[in-house]
Amino acid sequence: YQCGTCLASQFDLHPILNHKVGDVFQCRRCLRYECGSRWEPFEMESHGLMGVCLKKIHALTTNQHHHGLVSGGGSSGSVGKLKLVDASWVWTEPHCMRLKVRVTVQANVLDDAIAIRQRAIVEFFVRWKQCSDCNKEFTNNTWHSIVQVRQKRPHVAEGSVSRGLMVLEMALAKAKHARRNILDLKTVQNGFDFY
């Protein structure tokens, strides 16, 4: 048998950690980062951005066993589920479009008989991707539905505005959250068309 330090030197967890690392997407215009299905503003080297990066490491998010390379003999050994112990930022140039995270992981090796810890630097590439909000602003005529509001009253003279439509127009003017998903508004006879 070998001690834990000698055994840890024989297993290399770097290829396991750097395998299938996803890119980090940032909107070029608003500089928000994609996290799941939403876009969030994060400062460089913030805790929130660290969480986005750690979720991109495939080896930390799966529950399967990995095969680590054993140095020297060229054979492979079974590495159990990786557990994150510590993570910290490694400084990179702001314009290089790369993020580096130093992670310390713990893994059980040799059929979960011995636990080893190793540090590795995982590199992420920042890619440009337009967020949905900026896409709505730059792309014309990409509406998914149209809402047509009409009010026909026989005693209202032609060309005059009915009171119901005025109330709707004032409510939309006050409610910013309601206008967020409206791309275009056209006034038509007896009502409005919302795109």
Side-chain angles (χ1 to χ4, degrees), residues 24-27 30-46 48-49 52-53 94 97 99 126-129 131:
V24 177
F25 293 104
Q26 184 180 25
C27 181
C30 64
L31 300 179
R32 294 185 300 170
Y33 290 92
E34 181 182 36
C35 52
S37 61
R38 49 184 216 287
W39 292 80
E40 297 289 334
F42 295 121
E43 295 290 324
M44 287 299 290
E45 299 186 359
S46 66
L49 187 56
V52 171
C53 290
M97 302 298 288
L99 300 171
V126 179
R127 307 279 187 215
W128 296 122
K129 182 179 177 183
C131 70

Side-chain angles (χ1 to χ4, degrees), residues 10-135:
Q10 291 182 351
F11 279 86
D12 187 13
L13 299 180
H14 291 79
I16 295 172
L17 288 169
N18 285 304
H19 182 66
K20 291 186 181 180
V21 174
D23 294 333
V24 177
F25 293 104
Q26 184 180 25
C27 181
R28 184 181 290 222
R29 182 171 178 266
C30 64
L31 300 179
R32 294 185 300 170
Y33 290 92
E34 181 182 36
C35 52
S37 61
R38 49 184 216 287
W39 292 80
E40 297 289 334
F42 295 121
E43 295 290 324
M44 287 299 290
E45 299 186 359
S46 66
H47 292 292
L49 187 56
M50 174 77 73
V52 171
C53 290
L54 292 177
K55 287 178 184 174
K56 300 279 184 180
I57 302 175
H58 182 71
L60 295 177
T61 58
T62 60
N63 290 328
Q64 60 189 4
H65 286 316
H66 307 280
H67 291 285
L69 297 176
V70 180
S71 61
S75 61
S76 64
S78 177
V79 177
K81 183 179 183 292
L82 299 179
K83 178 183 173 188
L84 180 67
V85 177
D86 188 31
S88 61
W89 289 106
V90 177
W91 187 83
T92 57
E93 291 285 340
H95 63 277
C96 74
M97 302 298 288
R98 285 180 169 80
L99 300 171
K100 291 184 180 181
V101 178
R102 179 181 292 120
V103 294
T104 304
V105 292
Q106 178 177 326
N108 294 328
V109 294
L110 301 178
D111 298 326
D112 297 337
I114 298 174
I116 61 169
R117 281 190 183 190
Q118 281 189 4
R119 280 189 174 172
I121 293 179
V122 182
E123 187 173 9
F124 302 91
F125 293 95
V126 179
R127 307 279 187 215
W128 296 122
K129 182 179 177 183
Q130 195 172 39
C131 70
S132 56
D133 293 336
C134 293
N135 190 19

